[in-house]
Structure formats: C-alpha cells, structure tokens
Amino acid sequence: MWRLRIADDGGGDPWLRTKNAHAGRQVWEFDAAADPDPAVDAARQGFAARRHRLKHSADLLMRNQFTKANPLESDLPAVKLEEHEDVTDEAVSTTLKRAIKRLSVLQAHDGHWPGDYGGPMFLMPGLIITLYVCGALNVVLSSKHQMEIRRYLYNHQNEDGGWGLHIEGPSTMFGSALTYVSLRLLGEGTDSGDGAMEKGRNWILDHGGATFIPSWGKFWLSVLGVFDWSGNNPVPPEAWLLPYCPPFHPGRLWCHCRMVYLPMCYIYGKRFVGKITPLVMDLRKELHKEPYNEINWDKARNKCAKEDLYYPHPLFQDILWATLHKFVEPIMLRWPGSILREKALATAMQHIHYEDENTQYICIGPVNKVMNMLACWIEEPNSEAFKLHIPRIYDYLWVAEDGMKMQGYNGSQLWDTAFTVQAIAATNLIEEFGPTLKLAFDYIKNSQVLDDCPGDLNDWYRHISKGAWPYSTADHGWPITDCTAEGLKASLLLAKISPHVVGEPLEANRLFDAVNCLMSYMVCTFFGEYAGELHIFVFSRVAEQVTGPIITRVKARRTQDYQNDNGGFASYELTRSYTWLEIINPAETFGDIVIDYPYVECTSAAIQALTSFRKLYPGHRRKEVDNCISKAANFIETIQKTDGSWYGSWAVCFTYGTWFGVKGLIAAGRTFKNSSAIRKACDFLLSKELPSGGWGESYLSSQDQVYTNLEGKRAHAVNTGWAMLALIDAGQAARDPAPLHRAAKVLINLQSDDGEFPQQEIIGVFNKNCMISNSQYRNIFPIWALGEYRCRVLAAGN
C-alpha cells in the first residue's frame, strides 16, 4: 500500500541534504506490511473505466490517506440551489465552512497542502532512460514503482494508440515514441497491454517513425542508442566559454532553458551513448521505418512530425545548425579543436555542480534534474554527486489513482499555501480556522530563502535570492518573482491577525529582505545584473586585463543604452536579452522559452505585495516602492489585449491573466471609473460568462491564444473563481451583481458531498503549449471567490 510521507528524511539517508528539516518534502513509499485498501482499488478501476473521458486524476490515494488520519465530523448539510432560488448568506457560509473544513483535513503536518503537479508526458521517459543507461533502473525504482509507472503510461494512452505532450493533448511523436520506449525498458513486450503496445508502435510508424521526433526526443533516443548523434542539431558546449556581451550567451537565457541546455550540451559534447543491449537493438527495429544503418541522419536532424510542430524552425535556424554541424563540429571533435571542447565541457560541468549543490540536488526542474544526474554519472559513475542525486528522484514522483507520474517540479507547496491563506482570510472565518492558518504560516516562514547562493553570482549567472520565496521548498531554493510576492502578501496579511490565532509574525528584517529581492527584478539591463550591482562583461577574463578603458566606457553607457525600463516583472530573473532571440528557439514543441519575458501575473503580484507592504511600512524605501508600483501598473496597461483581456502564461488562460491584470491595477489605485483598462477587462469577462452562469476555458485558449470554451460550454470552478474575483475587485456588485449571483450559484452547486470542489480539466500551463496540473486550485479559488462574494457582494447588498 502506498503512503505519502511529509518532511521525510529518507530514514536518515546520508545522501540526503536539507536546509530546513525537509519542510515541504513529499515522498511516496510503498508499505508492504499494510493490507490492501479496497477504496484504492476501486479508485484505480474507476479511473481506468473513464480515462478517455476524464483524463485528470483526483488524487484519491492522498485524499484517502489524509481522511483516515484526520477524520472529519461535520453536521453541515450539503447545499444545492434550484434555478429559482436566490443565493443567501447562509448558503454561502455553509458552503465555505464545509470546504475549509475539508481543506484542513488535507493539510500536511508541516503546514502545506500536498498535491499532484504532473501532466506532461515527456518527463518520466527521461528518468527511465537515464536510470537504464546508468544500470540503476531496478535499484532506484522498485517493482512497485515500476508497476505504478506502467499503470500511468497505459492509462494515458490515447484512443488512436499514441501519447500526447500532456495528459489531455492529442497524440504526438514526442509523447508516443518516448512513452513506448519507457514501457519497453520497464519490461513490457511488443504485444503487451492487451494490444496497447502494438497500437502505440503502429502510431509511431504510421506517422513516419522516430526520425520525426522533436529535438528533445532525438536527444534522449541518442543517449539510449536508438538514434545517431549525427541526427541531432548541435548543442555546442563552447557557448559557455564566450564573453557575456553577445545577446545569445547562455547566461542571458531564461533559467529553465539555460539549465536544460547546460547538461544537454555536456552530454552532446561527450557524444555519450549507453550500452547497446539486445533490447536497444530491438528498439532500433521497432521505432524506425527504415533499417537503422540505412537512415539518412543528416536529413533526420530537421525532421519533426506535424503533430509536434508548435514552433517551426525559421530558415535562419536551419542555416545556423547546418553550419555548426558541417563545419564547426568536425573541428571540435579533432585535435586541436578537441582541446577547446574539453575546456568547454569542464566549464559546463562546473555549472552543473553549482546548480546541484545549491538546490540540494533537486535542481530547478525534472528535465535538468535527470540530465544533471546523467552528466554526473558520465563524469564519474561512482561519484558522490551521482549518489546525492538518487534520493532526490523521489521528490518528483507522485502517485494517484492513475498511477505514478513525474511532476513538473518537486511540488507547488509554497505557491499553493500562500494562495490558500489568502483564500481562507477572504472568507472572514479566520478565528474558526485559526489552527489551519497557523500551520500554513509556519510553512511560509520555514520556506523563505534566507541567503544568496555562495560565491560571485556573476560567475554563475544567478540573481540574488535572499528574502525570496520559491515555488515549492526552501531546499529547492530558486527565487521567483510572483512566489516572493505571494509569500510576502500572505505574511503581511497574517501579520494583521492576532498572534494567538496564527502565530508570531515574520520579523521585519525578513520582510525588508523580501521587498529588496522583489524590487531587484524591476531594473533590467541586457548586459548583466545579478547582485544589485550592474556589470558588463565585454571580454573574457583574459581579455579584461588589457581592455579596461573599453569596459569603463561601456559601463558608463549602461543606463541610457541598455536599461529595459518597461516596468514589467519576469519570472526568475531579469530579462537579459531581446525578444528577437526567440528565432533560435530549438524546441519545436514549446513557445517563448529562450528569454525570461515579463508577465502580467508576476507584475501584478509584485504590485499587490508592494502596496500591502507600503501600508504597514510606509517609510521604508517609499520613493523606490512608489516608483516600482507606478511603472509596473503602466506596464500592465500596455500589454492588455484589444479585447480587454490579458493572456495568462501560467494557467488557463484569459480568465487567469485578466484576474491578475485587474487585481494589479486595482492595487495600484486604478478604479472602474478612472481606468479604461479595467472597464474593458470587465466587458471582456462579462462577454464570456456562460448562459448558465460561470466561466469555463479549455487549454486550447493557451495553445491557440484565442479564448476557447470547454467542450459543451461547461463551467469550470477555477475559471469561474478567477473571473468572479476580478469582477468583484472591479466593483461589479455596485453596477450589476446578477452575473456574480449566477456564478456563485454555479460554485455552490459544484461542491461535492465531501466539501471539495471537483477535479475538472487541467488548468496549469507553461510555454504556451504544455499543460500541467495545479490540483489544489480546484479548492483554493472557489473558496476565495465565494469568500469575497460573501463579504463584498452579499454584505454590501444587505
């Protein structure tokens, strides 16, 4: 029986490091001594039966475990309103109390809310291939792990036999070929799965075979030995030896892009291939339409199945890769070019180790996690670094009724906890749920990043992190703008409540650190900014010794020539290069990955946090805070779409972005009366309300960048919550509360018998084209919206 363990130290595993007693760590372990649970079996069977209709799991294993550990006794009846019935304060209050009581049951003992953060289908194959080539597959993943992984992969096979980029997406070569390979490496035969494997292989071959897999897939198949490295476009590690001044220097890239292509360039530079086993030889036959030795690998470099092609390569890119492939790579593979190659590989490895050590071997995300681990094994199979990587694999694995998946992060612990605090506070039921808030506050305080990364941050292309909050855990540690803002907002909100209810507030100096970190994201230069000082690196360290005057002149010009003063906040770091650099985006399946763009969500969250801070600490850096808020609000106005919406980059989609857009402008002092942007946003949201009440957006809104209703024009509890929150903030209740009454009734009627709101379609997204689960949103935003509705709409009406 599977059990979720929280803040787990791995039984005292000496290879497991932590900064804060593993707060937020969530790991699934199989308890062989426990009796099987019939409820778990029923949940698995139920998911399998409806898997083509409802593709998202409801986290029933975790819910079953927490319900047994924290039995809830409630005499509050479920509320269902008929079409002719009005929404009353009693109905809303009962709905909220039932929901928050259930939420309290699902809270972990360290204060956060665990949950599924899976969705992408291309993550698990990288782990499986890495463990296979390292000879560690059966050591790291027990038979029970492997059984659950197989269950997950089979459960998310599409009816046409293929697998998608994510669990709700149509079949792609990326998802299909890598998933088929994973199942074969996990012991499945060519005819296993009641014909599922044969269907999968047929889909691959019917769509051209594995030579049509996108570039990331080509990389993984090359590592395994079922694709030749000459069929890959180059990933030259020598880029890490360049001076910082070119706009395409790796240090200028968005950190997720940078941290993936860092170990990728090392592995590519080594041309590493795992042991060619009989199974690998079989896969060479199964994946390709032509005999392996007859494939034209040069032509394969730029092949990509039309089902995968979200970002087609422009001609410039094809010319660039061809030049590197035909002229540069042959030089780097032979002496004396090989000397430079070895130096570049050593430099890349230094950066890999720095990333590993500063994230406690969790790494920024699952893709670079397994690539970094593989790079460490290639460098030295018995290295301490490789051993330190192993226990952190489990931080990414999550079990639900659909099986075991690899998450898109090591969780969303801080993010969800900060939102949940604000949602509960909005209900004005604070004292009744004080213990829940106190636990949550403990987690928020334990998750703040207390120090910058060691060494000269300029050398490692890192932004300051002291005072920030991460998306997940302090051990992960990467600072993020909107996570810092939401952590700060929640801390300031709880500081207003009696410490007898929620515990002692965060110390003022830690709040000041958070504000300092947050405001450091405002000023942006394209030529380097990391630790509060602006530096421009025009030449390599050797050249610097003889070009001091030139550097001095460039430094003097930095503010007038290179400052990006648009007021927007990017995600992890400053925007370090230009939007036109997207022309070299080599990942055919994702959009906007090359640089860290400013986002409405990050900018709005920063405004909200700084205005809240300004109220409690009006004298602290007031001029800078005011200036930051003003510029950020102007930025939000400039990026509003002509229809009044904002595109949401981190969730589905226009309802999410518009909520942030409105919320940020309201916090900055705009109102419906004095802001045309807010009026246009309200018109947009009202135009999208469904006839039955509520809002429901399909993930196609994110992918196609056009508002798209869910099939059947059904309401989604989370989209409805976002739209309600935006309209309430914009004063809709004073003008016409009817749309809010309809939406509130939808949410009330969606509540389940256990007090939760249903798990509906996938709601998270990244890089426009890949969806991800934010499974806690199903409860957070209906509670938040109904809380605001109760206190600001019904109370105002009364």
Side-chain angles (χ1 to χ4, degrees):
M1 180 177 173
W2 287 97
R3 296 189 186 280
L4 178 63
R5 299 181 65 87
I6 301 298
D8 182 65
D9 66 354
D13 189 338
W15 300 109
L16 198 57
R17 296 177 176 177
T18 184
K19 291 182 176 180
N20 63 347
H22 297 289
R25 188 173 191 241
Q26 41 193 37
V27 175
W28 286 90
E29 293 181 356
F30 187 79
D31 184 357
D35 294 330
D37 189 339
V40 171
D41 292 336
R44 288 170 175 159
Q45 292 169 13
F47 182 87
R50 60 179 183 271
R51 64 190 183 94
H52 292 308
R53 182 169 52 89
L54 298 174
K55 299 186 177 184
H56 204 299
S57 65
D59 255 350
L60 294 181
L61 272 67
M62 183 269 290
R63 281 167 163 75
N64 184 56
Q65 175 182 326
F66 278 54
T67 300
K68 288 182 176 179
N70 308 300
L72 173 66
E73 295 183 7
S74 177
D75 56 359
L76 294 173
V79 178
K80 298 297 177 186
L81 298 176
E82 300 294 335
E83 188 173 345
H84 65 276
E85 290 185 90
D86 291 334
V87 181
T88 64
D89 182 79
E90 181 182 1
V92 177
S93 297
T94 300
T95 301
L96 285 170
K97 289 177 182 179
R98 293 179 71 243
I100 303 173
K101 283 184 177 182
R102 175 63 175 168
L103 203 60
S104 300
V105 168
L106 301 176
Q107 187 178 27
H109 64 78
D110 66 357
H112 85 278
W113 278 268
D116 178 0
Y117 195 59
M121 291 298 296
F122 63 90
L123 302 177
M124 184 65 79
L127 174 63
I128 300 299
I129 291 171
T130 294
L131 293 177
Y132 183 83
V133 300
C134 294
L137 182 61
N138 295 323
V139 176
V140 175
L141 299 178
S142 69
S143 61
K144 297 298 183 180
H145 283 86
Q146 294 186 37
M147 182 175 69
E148 289 302 321
I149 293 170
R150 289 194 296 268
R151 186 196 310 277
Y152 179 76
L153 298 179
Y154 277 134
N155 267 333
H156 291 288
Q157 185 177 26
N158 290 329
E159 290 181 280
D160 63 5
W163 287 266
L165 180 64
H166 55 88
I167 58 173
E168 293 191 12
S171 298
T172 62
M173 187 62 73
F174 193 23
S176 299
L178 289 184
T179 303
Y180 179 86
V181 166
S182 298
L183 285 166
R184 292 287 278 123
L185 297 181
L186 290 169
E188 295 298 277
T190 56
D191 57 353
S192 296
D194 294 327
M197 291 295 285
E198 184 180 3
K199 285 183 68 177
R201 185 171 63 257
N202 288 341
W203 192 98
I204 294 167
L205 296 176
D206 289 346
H207 291 78
T211 52
F212 283 86
I213 198 170
S215 57
W216 285 20
K218 287 176 168 64
F219 169 85
W220 281 120
L221 295 183
S222 299
V223 166
L224 182 60
V226 297
F227 203 97
D228 196 88
W229 277 113
S230 62
N232 288 254
N233 280 321
V235 191
E238 288 75 23
W240 288 89
L241 298 178
L242 293 171
Y244 189 71
C245 59
F248 50 81
H249 186 281
R252 299 185 179 283
L253 307 182
W254 181 43
C255 56
H256 274 282
C257 179
R258 180 169 80 241
M259 289 298 158
V260 166
Y261 284 98
L262 168 63
M264 190 181 282
C265 79
Y266 178 86
I267 297 164
Y268 171 83
K270 286 283 188 179
R271 297 297 198 278
F272 171 80
V273 180
K275 182 180 179 181
I276 304 302
T277 64
L279 177 54
V280 171
M281 295 297 291
D282 288 343
L283 284 169
R284 287 182 174 183
K285 299 174 185 176
E286 295 164 25
L287 292 172
H288 300 290
K289 297 188 73 170
E290 306 169 69
Y292 190 77
N293 293 330
E294 296 178 15
I295 295 173
N296 185 327
W297 294 110
D298 187 51
K299 286 186 177 180
R301 284 188 304 108
N302 292 315
K303 284 184 177 179
C304 183
K306 66 180 189 303
E307 292 81 5
D308 296 74
L309 200 57
Y310 186 75
Y311 183 81
H313 286 178
L315 178 61
F316 170 81
Q317 228 187 99
D318 291 339
I319 295 172
L320 173 64
W321 303 140
T323 302
L324 291 172
H325 176 72
K326 294 180 183 298
F327 301 107
V328 178
E329 278 301 305
I331 295 173
M332 292 297 108
L333 295 176
R334 295 176 178 83
W335 189 90
S338 58
I339 297 174
L340 188 63
R341 171 59 52 93
E342 288 303 317
K343 182 179 180 181
L345 292 172
T347 300
M349 204 65 219
Q350 289 175 349
H351 285 273
I352 289 169
H353 288 313
Y354 188 84
E355 157 73 349
D356 290 345
E357 292 163 6
N358 284 287
T359 60
Q360 317 307 311
Y361 289 81
I362 297 169
C363 300
I364 195 172
V367 178
N368 84 312
K369 159 67 182 175
V370 294
M371 288 185 184
N372 279 19
M373 183 170 70
L374 177 57
C376 291
W377 188 86
I378 294 169
E379 183 187 41
E380 173 51 61
N382 293 315
S383 67
E384 179 179 278
F386 181 71
K387 294 173 184 176
L388 286 163
H389 264 292
I390 296 298
R392 287 300 188 179
I393 290 172
Y394 307 110
D395 294 49
Y396 282 98
L397 302 180
W398 185 266
V399 183
E401 65 270 26
D402 58 343
M404 177 173 281
K405 62 207 74 177
M406 193 167 192
Q407 301 185 107
Y409 225 68
N410 67 321
S412 51
Q413 296 90 320
L414 183 279
W415 183 249
D416 291 335
T417 302
F419 271 155
T420 303
V421 163
Q422 295 173 75
I424 295 174
T427 68
N428 204 23
L429 299 171
I430 292 171
E431 292 199 9
E432 187 170 344
F433 296 101
T436 300
L437 289 171
K438 185 178 186 301
L439 261 183
F441 199 10
D442 287 343
Y443 184 76
I444 292 170
K445 288 184 281 191
N446 286 335
S447 299
Q448 189 179 20
V449 180
L450 302 181
D451 296 294
D452 292 328
C453 291
D456 187 341
L457 300 185
N458 295 317
D459 291 342
W460 308 103
Y461 314 111
R462 291 292 293 264
H463 197 87
I464 64 171
S465 54
K466 183 178 181 179
W469 273 276
Y471 190 70
S472 55
T473 64
D475 279 343
H476 182 284
W478 271 87
I480 309 177
T481 52
D482 52 358
C483 297
T484 300
E486 299 299 342
L488 179 57
K489 283 168 59 184
S491 298
L492 294 169
L493 182 62
L494 292 169
K496 300 177 184 178
I497 303 170
S498 168
H500 297 295
V501 177
V502 299
E504 293 299 322
L506 202 63
E507 297 91 335
N509 65 310
R510 288 176 62 178
L511 297 175
F512 298 159
D513 287 341
V515 169
N516 179 65
C517 184
L518 195 58
M519 291 202 299
S520 73
Y521 289 100
M522 169 63 80
V523 178
C524 178
T525 68
F526 291 155
F527 291 84
E529 190 282 341
Y530 303 103
E533 297 178 0
L534 304 178
H535 296 286
I536 301 172
F537 297 97
V538 180
F539 301 103
S540 66
R541 291 178 179 268
V542 175
E544 281 179 9
Q545 298 175 12
V546 295
T547 55
I550 297 177
I551 292 178
T552 302
R553 288 199 297 271
V554 177
K555 274 183 158 182
R557 296 171 52 205
R558 66 182 182 268
T559 54
Q560 63 181 18
D561 287 353
Y562 306 125
Q563 187 177 25
N564 176 22
D565 201 19
N566 64 9
F569 284 74
S571 57
Y572 287 79
E573 298 164 336
L574 296 170
T575 302
R576 296 175 176 174
S577 196
Y578 305 92
T579 56
W580 57 258
L581 203 64
E582 204 67 38
I583 196 174
I584 65 167
N585 174 3
E588 303 90 339
T589 47
F590 308 113
D592 290 357
I593 72 164
V594 177
I595 66 170
D596 200 345
Y597 294 87
Y599 299 99
V600 64
E601 299 100 310
C602 300
T603 307
S604 170
I607 292 173
Q608 295 171 56
L610 291 174
T611 53
S612 296
F613 174 81
R614 185 172 61 184
K615 292 174 184 176
L616 289 182
Y617 296 92
H620 184 80
R621 299 175 65 176
R622 181 58 180 260
K623 185 176 179 180
E624 295 170 77
V625 170
D626 288 350
N627 183 55
C628 195
I629 292 169
S630 176
K631 288 183 177 180
N634 290 338
F635 170 79
I636 289 177
E637 289 175 329
T638 64
I639 63 168
Q640 186 179 28
K641 299 178 79 68
T642 56
D643 64 2
S645 69
W646 283 270
Y647 179 83
S649 296
W650 303 106
V652 179
C653 168
F654 293 99
T655 44
Y656 185 67
T658 303
W659 170 52
F660 270 103
V662 170
K663 188 85 171 173
L665 292 180
I666 294 290
R670 312 291 202 270
T671 66
F672 184 87
K673 288 184 177 180
N674 68 22
S675 171
S676 61
I678 292 177
R679 292 194 295 272
K680 288 169 62 180
C682 290
D683 288 343
F684 169 80
L685 290 173
L686 293 173
S687 73
K688 301 303 180 183
E689 187 179 24
L690 299 169
S692 58
W695 288 257
E697 261 190 283
S698 164
Y699 77 83
L700 295 173
S701 284
S702 298
Q703 176 183 295
D704 301 336
Q705 301 179 57
V706 176
Y707 191 99
T708 307
N709 284 314
L710 288 172
E711 187 176 348
K713 293 189 175 181
R714 291 172 290 106
H716 194 297
V718 180
N719 296 126
T720 300
W722 291 329
M724 284 182 67
L725 287 166
L727 290 170
I728 291 170
D729 257 355
Q732 182 64 33
R735 296 184 298 275
D736 177 15
L740 298 172
H741 295 326
R742 289 193 296 270
K745 183 181 288 188
V746 167
L747 291 182
I748 291 170
N749 288 337
L750 278 172
Q751 189 175 38
S752 305
D753 291 339
D754 61 6
E756 290 196 77
F757 295 88
Q759 177 61 62
Q760 296 170 281
E761 286 78 3
I762 201 162
I763 202 68
V765 66
F766 61 92
N767 298 122
K768 299 186 183 298
N769 194 40
C770 193
M771 307 306 128
I772 195 164
S773 302
N774 284 98
S775 57
Q776 295 298 344
Y777 284 10
R778 61 187 274 196
N779 289 316
I780 293 171
F781 290 103
I783 290 172
W784 197 339
L786 287 174
E788 295 278 8
Y789 173 80
R790 173 177 177 258
C791 297
R792 298 175 63 183
V793 180
L794 290 183
N798 293 333

